[in-house]
Amino acid sequence: VSAFLLNRSSDLSLVNLAERRADYWNFGGIWRPVFIIAKPVHNIQRVAIDAKADGRFMADVFLNQAVPSSQVSVAIIDTKGKKVATSPSFPISSDQAKVDFSAKHVKTWNAEQPNLYTAVFTLKDPEGRILHVERQKFGFRTIEYRHSYAGDDGDGVFINGQKVIMKGVNRHSFRPESGRTLSKAKNIEDVKLIKSMNMNAVRLS
């Protein structure tokens, strides 16, 4: 039987200062979903995706350790499981790879139509054997802040070329009955309340 020791404080001092030493109560136990992820010895530690509205897909792929002469490729899958784009292979430089290619005929993401795709990253060794596969959901969108000295409609935040006026509230994930543990139904309840007030933004705290 395996046993796990739960530390009430974070290993990151900044998290403790911002969250546990600020305006939150310190609860004991596990009050949010916890996942244990098993990975092979050589693995993709994390990815940072930047997918633009025109279909350009860029990502920084970080490995847990260097794998000389290895490569990374990406397949983009839609919500129906259909493969809509496949990248060429990109070489690993030290313990990182930079992915940059374009997908055609993609549906963009915005708050009203949150079209999502799944990026499937595949790490292969020099002989072409698969070492690790990592998946991450994302949306194709271009978010810009534009400043016009004329002070006209050229000012503001633009999503996929369309100006968006941010109207939102601050939200604390908290209930008197359950503390900081919220069910999916309670989260959706908050979303519906915010949208009913004609808002489109939330400051997550």
Side-chain angles (χ1 to χ4, degrees):
V1 177
S2 298
F4 297 92
L5 178 65
L6 178 64
N7 192 339
R8 188 172 179 177
S9 297
S10 173
D11 289 338
L12 299 176
S13 59
L14 290 177
V15 171
N16 293 321
L17 289 173
E19 186 176 70
R20 293 167 175 83
R21 306 292 182 265
D23 61 342
Y24 292 104
W25 292 344
N26 288 334
F27 292 102
I30 298 173
W31 42 269
R32 291 288 170 88
V34 175
F35 302 91
I36 299 175
I37 300 174
K39 292 186 177 184
V41 174
H42 299 292
N43 63 71
I44 298 171
Q45 188 177 50
R46 62 186 176 91
V47 297
I49 296 175
D50 183 10
K52 302 296 186 183
D54 62 1
R56 186 179 180 187
F57 182 96
M58 296 170 285
D60 290 325
V61 182
F62 301 91
L63 307 188
N64 69 319
Q65 56 183 291
V67 184
S69 302
S70 59
Q71 296 182 326
V72 169
S73 61
V74 183
I76 296 176
I77 313 296
D78 66 15
T79 54
K80 296 180 180 179
K82 180 182 177 182
K83 187 181 295 185
V84 299
T86 304
S87 79
S89 294
F90 296 90
I92 300 291
S93 176
S94 181
D95 58 355
Q96 182 178 351
K98 287 191 175 293
V99 172
D100 191 342
F101 70 104
S102 291
K104 297 181 179 179
H105 311 299
V106 296
K107 295 179 180 179
T108 56
W109 178 98
N110 60 44
E112 287 72 35
Q113 292 89 30
N115 296 302
L116 287 178
Y117 293 86
T118 300
V120 182
F121 295 83
T122 301
L123 172 66
K124 293 183 179 181
D125 68 10
E127 287 71 42
R129 293 181 295 236
I130 296 176
L131 298 175
H132 186 219
V133 175
E134 184 78 8
R135 292 172 172 83
Q136 184 165 318
K137 290 184 179 181
F138 73 98
F140 285 97
R141 80 286 181 272
T142 299
I143 300 176
E144 307 167 277
Y145 174 73
R146 301 177 185 173
H147 178 71
S148 169
Y149 290 102
D152 55 16
D153 284 340
D155 276 344
V157 176
F158 289 76
I159 299 178
N160 304 334
Q162 181 177 350
K163 185 174 181 178
V164 176
I165 304 297
M166 296 293 179
K167 298 168 290 183
V169 289
N170 187 12
R171 175 179 181 251
H172 283 265
S173 302
F174 202 93
R175 285 292 189 281
E177 306 85 4
S178 59
R180 294 169 70 183
T181 303
L182 298 188
S183 66
K184 183 176 180 179
K186 289 298 182 183
N187 280 299
I188 292 174
E189 183 181 295
D190 279 357
V191 170
K192 289 182 176 179
L193 176 62
I194 292 166
K195 290 184 72 67
S196 72
M197 294 185 285
N198 198 32
M199 294 181 179
N200 63 1
V202 177
R203 176 184 176 268
L204 299 176
S205 50

